Amino acid sequence: VPEDADKLETEAETEEQSAPSKTADAEEEPEKTPEQPRPSYREMLSHPVGLIVNVRMLRRVVQILFFVAINAYFLAAWSWGGQIIGLMQSIRNILPAWPIIAPAEGTAAMLVGSFDLFVREFTSAAFPFFTLGSMIIVLVVFGRSACGWMCPIGTIQDFATLPHRTKVRPAPSTETELRRVKAYIFIIVMFLAVWVGLSKLAGTSDAVTRALGPFAVAAFDPFSPAYILFVALPSIISRGLWPTGLDNLWYVLQWGWFLPELIFVIVIVVISFWFPRLFCRWLCPAGWIYGIFSKDALIGIGRNPAKCTPDTCNDCEVACPMNIRIRKYPYQHMHSPDCIMCLECKSHCKRRAITIRFG
Ligand code: SF4
Ligand code: SF4
């Protein structure tokens, strides 16, 4: 269903989605305010603080900065690159892990992902007290803001979606089924990690490691776009296996696992063109566990009942890259495990009804 068609929802769906809202706010039936036109980019930029006020642009800038902070191996080609990368790695050693996906072996990274780290710790037969503790604190306070503003894989998908405006939104029941896939992936990854960890304690890890092959070190790595792009790809380049012309195209035959992994990432990016945040919505096991702890986060999204007109407008839902049925939630606070606090809904609401809620 293309984006424009989203506005033409069926009566049944509209009733289903707006029903809770009506119940929640029946007593305080508000007087609706007229639609307030949003300022254009040109108008915002003509003002000195336009860059800051424009939250969409601010998020893009922050995303790019964190993308570089998590993945700066291209600096290695620069004469000062070695020192900068060394500085980044020493900063990473003192910072806690963040609820994103960023591999612990990143060649030039200032941040490591909580999920990547605790999977490795379980695999090493260690219980990740500190990693889980810091992850839960961040998620309970800020929700999944790190997914919306910091995660490099979220950034890649957001930028893939930018040039093309036609988005596909599956039916709610299909979306619900597909969202379960990431939970199944999480269970499989944790099972393998704990299995390898226990085998180390039992002294049988050699056989288990042989049986699991590339899944024995950190079970999600072979399918983690972050690991594939920020660890496996630099490794291929540094070993001189990246083809630079037709005459050495045959290098790809030496890539082994990396070839299907790279194809997997390319497919994710291409599909993200039409399905925003496809990987986050359906496949990311880290996003699933982060969602559990961020559902009741102190910072979240709400709607002003005096301005929101859920029966005649669904601009926020059309804009939401996580395909959340925003109008289904109470006005006061939208407790969705899938909200990444990207604020796209807020930017696209012509009535300025979306608010950031605390507590
Ligand atoms: S859900 Fe998306 S943004 Fe969040 S950790 Fe996973 S890939 Fe990153
Ligand atoms: S509800 Fe709003 S802030 Fe949350 S993911 Fe959707 S667009 Fe972003």
Side-chain angles (χ1 to χ4, degrees):
V1 184
E3 183 181 65
D4 289 342
D6 278 327
K7 292 176 182 287
L8 306 171
E9 293 183 346
T10 62
E11 277 186 22
E13 191 181 340
T14 305
E15 275 175 26
E16 176 209 317
Q17 291 178 351
S18 53
S21 309
K22 285 176 184 168
T23 310
D25 297 280
E27 296 162 9
E28 44 177 326
E29 185 58 41
E31 188 182 323
K32 303 298 180 191
T33 56
E35 197 171 278
Q36 297 174 20
R38 280 189 299 139
S40 68
Y41 277 109
R42 184 166 297 184
E43 283 169 341
M44 283 187 284
L45 290 175
S46 64
H47 193 276
V49 293
L51 271 172
I52 297 168
V53 173
N54 183 353
V55 72
R56 295 186 73 209
M57 192 173 292
L58 178 66
R59 188 167 77 94
R60 301 289 176 230
V61 171
V62 172
Q63 284 184 305
I64 291 170
L65 290 177
F66 274 108
F67 189 89
V68 173
I70 291 163
N71 161 47
Y73 62 81
F74 59 87
L75 287 176
W78 185 38
S79 55
W80 284 85
Q83 281 102 317
I84 294 177
I85 288 173
L87 178 67
M88 292 173 75
Q89 287 171 341
S90 51
I91 292 173
R92 180 177 63 184
N93 292 338
I94 53 173
L95 285 179
W98 282 86
I100 55 176
I101 52 171
E105 299 84 4
T107 320
M110 267 178 13
L111 294 174
V112 60
S114 307
F115 176 75
D116 304 76
L117 196 55
F118 75 66
V119 167
R120 281 162 175 77
E121 287 171 317
F122 275 117
T123 306
S124 314
F127 192 84
F129 283 109
F130 184 71
T131 309
L132 288 178
S134 60
M135 178 190 90
I136 291 170
I137 290 170
V138 172
L139 289 169
V140 165
V141 176
F142 299 105
R144 287 178 63 188
S145 307
C147 281
W149 293 68
M150 293 167 64
C151 181
I153 303 308
T155 300
I156 291 174
Q157 293 171 89
D158 281 350
F159 278 81
T161 309
L162 268 184
H164 205 280
R165 292 283 169 165
T166 305
K167 289 184 279 181
V168 182
R169 292 205 308 166
S173 57
T174 311
E175 180 77 36
T176 304
E177 291 300 319
L178 289 168
R179 283 187 201 277
R180 291 203 178 109
V181 174
K182 57 183 187 252
Y184 300 141
I185 296 174
F186 179 84
I187 291 167
I188 293 169
V189 167
M190 291 312 298
F191 173 78
L192 294 177
V194 172
W195 183 21
V196 175
L198 291 177
S199 74
K200 283 179 179 162
L201 292 177
T204 57
S205 62
D206 287 348
V208 174
T209 303
R210 261 197 310 276
L212 293 181
F215 297 92
V217 181
F220 184 53
D221 281 358
F223 294 104
S224 166
Y227 184 86
I228 295 166
L229 292 178
F230 309 146
V231 178
L233 177 59
S235 166
I236 289 285
I237 294 171
S238 65
R239 285 156 52 205
L241 291 178
W242 187 261
T244 50
L246 283 178
D247 53 329
N248 54 18
L249 198 57
W250 62 273
Y251 284 178
V252 297
L253 300 176
Q254 297 188 24
W255 284 1
W257 268 101
F258 181 67
L259 181 58
E261 288 175 348
L262 187 63
I263 292 172
F264 171 70
V265 173
I266 291 170
V267 168
I268 294 280
V269 173
V270 170
I271 299 180
S272 298
F273 223 63
W274 296 276
F275 293 82
R277 292 269 182 162
L278 147 97
F279 182 79
C280 306
R281 280 156 59 190
W282 303 333
L283 299 176
C284 182
W288 181 75
I289 189 72
Y290 298 159
I292 287 180
F293 293 105
S294 68
K295 190 166 174 282
D296 295 317
L298 293 178
I299 298 177
I301 293 294
R303 287 178 293 143
N304 183 338
K307 295 181 178 177
C308 182
T309 53
D311 295 337
T312 57
C313 163
N314 70 342
D315 287 347
C316 56
E317 295 183 1
V318 171
C320 179
M322 296 298 283
N323 198 15
I324 298 171
R325 303 279 149 172
I326 299 169
R327 294 173 299 163
K328 199 182 70 176
Y329 289 88
Y331 285 113
Q332 292 78 10
H333 202 127
M334 194 199 66
H335 295 284
S336 166
D338 294 300
C339 179
I340 55 173
M341 289 301 291
C342 64
L343 305 182
E344 286 292 323
C345 52
K346 184 169 167 54
S347 300
H348 282 82
C349 177
K350 296 187 190 73
R351 296 175 186 278
R352 302 188 186 175
I354 304 279
T355 54
I356 299 174
R357 296 285 166 93
F358 301 91

